[in-house]
Amino acid sequence: MKSIHTWLSEYGESHQHATNKTIHWICVPTIFFSIVGFLYQIKTGWQFGDAPITVAHLVTILIIIYYVILSPAISIGVAMFILLCLTLCGWIEVVCSNPWMVYLILFVVAWIGQFIGHNIEGKKPSFFKDIQYLLIGPAWLLSAIYKKLGIKI
């Protein structure tokens, strides 16, 4: 298995252009959130106290485990972002009559942004090479934040 540093270095190769990087700062978290939102809409029938357990809860546990294996430090940041996503999904479910449409619009617009960014970059998205890069994008963004804060990954 590749190290987190190898994954991030390879991902960074196709994310050099400033505009593409900026687009990724907006679109990667939006895509991640929209996918969590889609999965949040699928109820398991189980409860944790009064709260329903959704497929999003189960899948994000697996995602956190993946990140713990790659980098315990990154997994903490991802877990915090996932908690924010789940909280927002719960709120959207309460205030919005059609949460699926919210997530669909976010998902489609964010992917259009991603492809525009890669067109500007002149390089294909990394996930065309390996599907795991879909999970490396959030780690790449977090690694930049960690670097600024002096946190080792």
Side-chain angles (χ1 to χ4, degrees), residues 89-109:
C89 289
W91 178 77
I92 287 172
E93 192 169 89
V94 169
V95 299
C96 184
S97 62
N98 191 354
W100 283 97
M101 188 58 64
V102 171
Y103 303 127
L104 180 61
I105 290 168
L106 289 172
F107 184 83
V108 169
V109 169

PDB file of all heavy atoms in Angstrom, residues 89-109:
ATOM      1  N   CYS A  89     -26.380  17.726   6.968  1.00  0.00           N
ATOM      2  CA  CYS A  89     -27.371  16.856   6.326  1.00  0.00           C
ATOM      3  C   CYS A  89     -28.635  16.751   7.177  1.00  0.00           C
ATOM      4  O   CYS A  89     -29.753  16.793   6.647  1.00  0.00           O
ATOM      5  CB  CYS A  89     -26.797  15.468   6.078  1.00  0.00           C
ATOM      6  SG  CYS A  89     -25.552  15.417   4.774  1.00  0.00           S
ATOM      7  N   GLY A  90     -28.450  16.617   8.471  1.00  0.00           N
ATOM      8  CA  GLY A  90     -29.598  16.577   9.370  1.00  0.00           C
ATOM      9  C   GLY A  90     -30.405  17.861   9.307  1.00  0.00           C
ATOM     10  O   GLY A  90     -31.639  17.838   9.283  1.00  0.00           O
ATOM     11  N   TRP A  91     -29.712  18.981   9.250  1.00  0.00           N
ATOM     12  CA  TRP A  91     -30.380  20.281   9.175  1.00  0.00           C
ATOM     13  C   TRP A  91     -31.109  20.428   7.839  1.00  0.00           C
ATOM     14  O   TRP A  91     -32.264  20.857   7.802  1.00  0.00           O
ATOM     15  CB  TRP A  91     -29.349  21.393   9.361  1.00  0.00           C
ATOM     16  CG  TRP A  91     -29.925  22.760   9.258  1.00  0.00           C
ATOM     17  CD1 TRP A  91     -30.649  23.418  10.199  1.00  0.00           C
ATOM     18  CD2 TRP A  91     -29.849  23.629   8.121  1.00  0.00           C
ATOM     19  NE1 TRP A  91     -31.014  24.652   9.724  1.00  0.00           N
ATOM     20  CE2 TRP A  91     -30.532  24.807   8.445  1.00  0.00           C
ATOM     21  CE3 TRP A  91     -29.241  23.521   6.867  1.00  0.00           C
ATOM     22  CZ2 TRP A  91     -30.636  25.873   7.561  1.00  0.00           C
ATOM     23  CZ3 TRP A  91     -29.353  24.588   5.984  1.00  0.00           C
ATOM     24  CH2 TRP A  91     -30.042  25.742   6.343  1.00  0.00           C
ATOM     25  N   ILE A  92     -30.454  20.049   6.749  1.00  0.00           N
ATOM     26  CA  ILE A  92     -31.084  20.144   5.421  1.00  0.00           C
ATOM     27  C   ILE A  92     -32.335  19.282   5.371  1.00  0.00           C
ATOM     28  O   ILE A  92     -33.360  19.683   4.807  1.00  0.00           O
ATOM     29  CB  ILE A  92     -30.080  19.764   4.308  1.00  0.00           C
ATOM     30  CG1 ILE A  92     -29.054  20.889   4.139  1.00  0.00           C
ATOM     31  CG2 ILE A  92     -30.791  19.464   2.990  1.00  0.00           C
ATOM     32  CD1 ILE A  92     -27.904  20.565   3.210  1.00  0.00           C
ATOM     33  N   GLU A  93     -32.266  18.115   5.972  1.00  0.00           N
ATOM     34  CA  GLU A  93     -33.436  17.228   5.982  1.00  0.00           C
ATOM     35  C   GLU A  93     -34.627  17.875   6.681  1.00  0.00           C
ATOM     36  O   GLU A  93     -35.770  17.669   6.290  1.00  0.00           O
ATOM     37  CB  GLU A  93     -33.065  15.907   6.659  1.00  0.00           C
ATOM     38  CG  GLU A  93     -34.103  14.835   6.464  1.00  0.00           C
ATOM     39  CD  GLU A  93     -33.589  13.489   6.897  1.00  0.00           C
ATOM     40  OE1 GLU A  93     -33.748  13.164   8.083  1.00  0.00           O
ATOM     41  OE2 GLU A  93     -33.034  12.779   6.040  1.00  0.00           O
ATOM     42  N   VAL A  94     -34.366  18.677   7.692  1.00  0.00           N
ATOM     43  CA  VAL A  94     -35.436  19.339   8.452  1.00  0.00           C
ATOM     44  C   VAL A  94     -36.020  20.524   7.681  1.00  0.00           C
ATOM     45  O   VAL A  94     -37.230  20.718   7.653  1.00  0.00           O
ATOM     46  CB  VAL A  94     -34.914  19.807   9.836  1.00  0.00           C
ATOM     47  CG1 VAL A  94     -35.910  20.715  10.526  1.00  0.00           C
ATOM     48  CG2 VAL A  94     -34.581  18.608  10.703  1.00  0.00           C
ATOM     49  N   VAL A  95     -35.155  21.309   7.030  1.00  0.00           N
ATOM     50  CA  VAL A  95     -35.624  22.562   6.420  1.00  0.00           C
ATOM     51  C   VAL A  95     -35.950  22.463   4.933  1.00  0.00           C
ATOM     52  O   VAL A  95     -36.536  23.388   4.376  1.00  0.00           O
ATOM     53  CB  VAL A  95     -34.610  23.712   6.625  1.00  0.00           C
ATOM     54  CG1 VAL A  95     -34.398  23.982   8.101  1.00  0.00           C
ATOM     55  CG2 VAL A  95     -33.305  23.443   5.920  1.00  0.00           C
ATOM     56  N   CYS A  96     -35.588  21.351   4.304  1.00  0.00           N
ATOM     57  CA  CYS A  96     -35.755  21.243   2.857  1.00  0.00           C
ATOM     58  C   CYS A  96     -36.725  20.115   2.519  1.00  0.00           C
ATOM     59  O   CYS A  96     -36.591  19.001   3.026  1.00  0.00           O
ATOM     60  CB  CYS A  96     -34.401  20.997   2.208  1.00  0.00           C
ATOM     61  SG  CYS A  96     -34.463  20.956   0.424  1.00  0.00           S
ATOM     62  N   SER A  97     -37.654  20.415   1.640  1.00  0.00           N
ATOM     63  CA  SER A  97     -38.638  19.395   1.269  1.00  0.00           C
ATOM     64  C   SER A  97     -38.059  18.351   0.305  1.00  0.00           C
ATOM     65  O   SER A  97     -38.601  17.260   0.180  1.00  0.00           O
ATOM     66  CB  SER A  97     -39.878  20.053   0.647  1.00  0.00           C
ATOM     67  OG  SER A  97     -39.521  20.733  -0.541  1.00  0.00           O
ATOM     68  N   ASN A  98     -36.979  18.685  -0.390  1.00  0.00           N
ATOM     69  CA  ASN A  98     -36.384  17.747  -1.340  1.00  0.00           C
ATOM     70  C   ASN A  98     -34.850  17.761  -1.214  1.00  0.00           C
ATOM     71  O   ASN A  98     -34.152  18.295  -2.084  1.00  0.00           O
ATOM     72  CB  ASN A  98     -36.816  18.094  -2.766  1.00  0.00           C
ATOM     73  CG  ASN A  98     -36.458  17.010  -3.751  1.00  0.00           C
ATOM     74  OD1 ASN A  98     -35.784  16.033  -3.414  1.00  0.00           O
ATOM     75  ND2 ASN A  98     -36.889  17.172  -4.988  1.00  0.00           N
ATOM     76  N   PRO A  99     -34.327  17.155  -0.140  1.00  0.00           N
ATOM     77  CA  PRO A  99     -32.870  17.151   0.038  1.00  0.00           C
ATOM     78  C   PRO A  99     -32.118  16.504  -1.117  1.00  0.00           C
ATOM     79  O   PRO A  99     -31.006  16.922  -1.450  1.00  0.00           O
ATOM     80  CB  PRO A  99     -32.658  16.354   1.325  1.00  0.00           C
ATOM     81  CG  PRO A  99     -33.968  16.343   2.016  1.00  0.00           C
ATOM     82  CD  PRO A  99     -35.014  16.491   0.960  1.00  0.00           C
ATOM     83  N   TRP A 100     -32.706  15.489  -1.760  1.00  0.00           N
ATOM     84  CA  TRP A 100     -32.041  14.829  -2.889  1.00  0.00           C
ATOM     85  C   TRP A 100     -31.671  15.855  -3.965  1.00  0.00           C
ATOM     86  O   TRP A 100     -30.597  15.779  -4.555  1.00  0.00           O
ATOM     87  CB  TRP A 100     -32.943  13.757  -3.506  1.00  0.00           C
ATOM     88  CG  TRP A 100     -33.005  12.492  -2.730  1.00  0.00           C
ATOM     89  CD1 TRP A 100     -33.960  12.132  -1.832  1.00  0.00           C
ATOM     90  CD2 TRP A 100     -32.075  11.411  -2.772  1.00  0.00           C
ATOM     91  NE1 TRP A 100     -33.686  10.892  -1.312  1.00  0.00           N
ATOM     92  CE2 TRP A 100     -32.526  10.426  -1.874  1.00  0.00           C
ATOM     93  CE3 TRP A 100     -30.907  11.180  -3.492  1.00  0.00           C
ATOM     94  CZ2 TRP A 100     -31.857   9.229  -1.673  1.00  0.00           C
ATOM     95  CZ3 TRP A 100     -30.229   9.982  -3.289  1.00  0.00           C
ATOM     96  CH2 TRP A 100     -30.713   9.028  -2.383  1.00  0.00           C
ATOM     97  N   MET A 101     -32.572  16.791  -4.223  1.00  0.00           N
ATOM     98  CA  MET A 101     -32.327  17.791  -5.263  1.00  0.00           C
ATOM     99  C   MET A 101     -31.177  18.716  -4.851  1.00  0.00           C
ATOM    100  O   MET A 101     -30.338  19.075  -5.690  1.00  0.00           O
ATOM    101  CB  MET A 101     -33.593  18.606  -5.541  1.00  0.00           C
ATOM    102  CG  MET A 101     -33.463  19.525  -6.734  1.00  0.00           C
ATOM    103  SD  MET A 101     -33.044  18.699  -8.300  1.00  0.00           S
ATOM    104  CE  MET A 101     -34.466  17.685  -8.548  1.00  0.00           C
ATOM    105  N   VAL A 102     -31.108  19.068  -3.587  1.00  0.00           N
ATOM    106  CA  VAL A 102     -30.009  19.901  -3.093  1.00  0.00           C
ATOM    107  C   VAL A 102     -28.681  19.200  -3.355  1.00  0.00           C
ATOM    108  O   VAL A 102     -27.746  19.788  -3.914  1.00  0.00           O
ATOM    109  CB  VAL A 102     -30.171  20.196  -1.583  1.00  0.00           C
ATOM    110  CG1 VAL A 102     -28.931  20.876  -1.006  1.00  0.00           C
ATOM    111  CG2 VAL A 102     -31.418  21.029  -1.323  1.00  0.00           C
ATOM    112  N   TYR A 103     -28.603  17.936  -2.965  1.00  0.00           N
ATOM    113  CA  TYR A 103     -27.357  17.183  -3.140  1.00  0.00           C
ATOM    114  C   TYR A 103     -27.035  16.959  -4.607  1.00  0.00           C
ATOM    115  O   TYR A 103     -25.866  17.014  -5.000  1.00  0.00           O
ATOM    116  CB  TYR A 103     -27.416  15.857  -2.370  1.00  0.00           C
ATOM    117  CG  TYR A 103     -27.675  16.060  -0.903  1.00  0.00           C
ATOM    118  CD1 TYR A 103     -28.715  15.408  -0.264  1.00  0.00           C
ATOM    119  CD2 TYR A 103     -26.908  16.941  -0.149  1.00  0.00           C
ATOM    120  CE1 TYR A 103     -28.963  15.600   1.083  1.00  0.00           C
ATOM    121  CE2 TYR A 103     -27.153  17.145   1.201  1.00  0.00           C
ATOM    122  CZ  TYR A 103     -28.182  16.475   1.809  1.00  0.00           C
ATOM    123  OH  TYR A 103     -28.432  16.677   3.141  1.00  0.00           O
ATOM    124  N   LEU A 104     -28.042  16.716  -5.419  1.00  0.00           N
ATOM    125  CA  LEU A 104     -27.816  16.506  -6.842  1.00  0.00           C
ATOM    126  C   LEU A 104     -27.255  17.764  -7.499  1.00  0.00           C
ATOM    127  O   LEU A 104     -26.294  17.702  -8.267  1.00  0.00           O
ATOM    128  CB  LEU A 104     -29.113  16.077  -7.538  1.00  0.00           C
ATOM    129  CG  LEU A 104     -29.002  15.817  -9.040  1.00  0.00           C
ATOM    130  CD1 LEU A 104     -28.023  14.683  -9.327  1.00  0.00           C
ATOM    131  CD2 LEU A 104     -30.376  15.502  -9.623  1.00  0.00           C
ATOM    132  N   ILE A 105     -27.841  18.909  -7.196  1.00  0.00           N
ATOM    133  CA  ILE A 105     -27.360  20.173  -7.768  1.00  0.00           C
ATOM    134  C   ILE A 105     -25.919  20.437  -7.334  1.00  0.00           C
ATOM    135  O   ILE A 105     -25.058  20.773  -8.153  1.00  0.00           O
ATOM    136  CB  ILE A 105     -28.294  21.342  -7.390  1.00  0.00           C
ATOM    137  CG1 ILE A 105     -29.637  21.189  -8.125  1.00  0.00           C
ATOM    138  CG2 ILE A 105     -27.648  22.685  -7.700  1.00  0.00           C
ATOM    139  CD1 ILE A 105     -30.731  22.101  -7.621  1.00  0.00           C
ATOM    140  N   LEU A 106     -25.643  20.277  -6.042  1.00  0.00           N
ATOM    141  CA  LEU A 106     -24.277  20.481  -5.546  1.00  0.00           C
ATOM    142  C   LEU A 106     -23.296  19.542  -6.228  1.00  0.00           C
ATOM    143  O   LEU A 106     -22.202  19.958  -6.642  1.00  0.00           O
ATOM    144  CB  LEU A 106     -24.226  20.282  -4.027  1.00  0.00           C
ATOM    145  CG  LEU A 106     -24.895  21.353  -3.173  1.00  0.00           C
ATOM    146  CD1 LEU A 106     -24.932  20.914  -1.712  1.00  0.00           C
ATOM    147  CD2 LEU A 106     -24.177  22.684  -3.318  1.00  0.00           C
ATOM    148  N   PHE A 107     -23.680  18.276  -6.351  1.00  0.00           N
ATOM    149  CA  PHE A 107     -22.822  17.260  -6.948  1.00  0.00           C
ATOM    150  C   PHE A 107     -22.493  17.601  -8.402  1.00  0.00           C
ATOM    151  O   PHE A 107     -21.323  17.596  -8.807  1.00  0.00           O
ATOM    152  CB  PHE A 107     -23.517  15.895  -6.841  1.00  0.00           C
ATOM    153  CG  PHE A 107     -22.700  14.733  -7.330  1.00  0.00           C
ATOM    154  CD1 PHE A 107     -21.753  14.141  -6.511  1.00  0.00           C
ATOM    155  CD2 PHE A 107     -22.903  14.210  -8.604  1.00  0.00           C
ATOM    156  CE1 PHE A 107     -21.005  13.057  -6.954  1.00  0.00           C
ATOM    157  CE2 PHE A 107     -22.163  13.130  -9.052  1.00  0.00           C
ATOM    158  CZ  PHE A 107     -21.207  12.548  -8.224  1.00  0.00           C
ATOM    159  N   VAL A 108     -23.518  17.900  -9.187  1.00  0.00           N
ATOM    160  CA  VAL A 108     -23.324  18.173 -10.615  1.00  0.00           C
ATOM    161  C   VAL A 108     -22.513  19.452 -10.822  1.00  0.00           C
ATOM    162  O   VAL A 108     -21.553  19.466 -11.607  1.00  0.00           O
ATOM    163  CB  VAL A 108     -24.687  18.247 -11.355  1.00  0.00           C
ATOM    164  CG1 VAL A 108     -24.530  18.789 -12.761  1.00  0.00           C
ATOM    165  CG2 VAL A 108     -25.355  16.879 -11.378  1.00  0.00           C
ATOM    166  N   VAL A 109     -22.857  20.513 -10.118  1.00  0.00           N
ATOM    167  CA  VAL A 109     -22.139  21.780 -10.275  1.00  0.00           C
ATOM    168  C   VAL A 109     -20.676  21.626  -9.858  1.00  0.00           C
ATOM    169  O   VAL A 109     -19.764  22.125 -10.534  1.00  0.00           O
ATOM    170  CB  VAL A 109     -22.842  22.913  -9.496  1.00  0.00           C
ATOM    171  CG1 VAL A 109     -21.984  24.164  -9.434  1.00  0.00           C
ATOM    172  CG2 VAL A 109     -24.199  23.225 -10.115  1.00  0.00           C
TER     173      VAL A 109
END
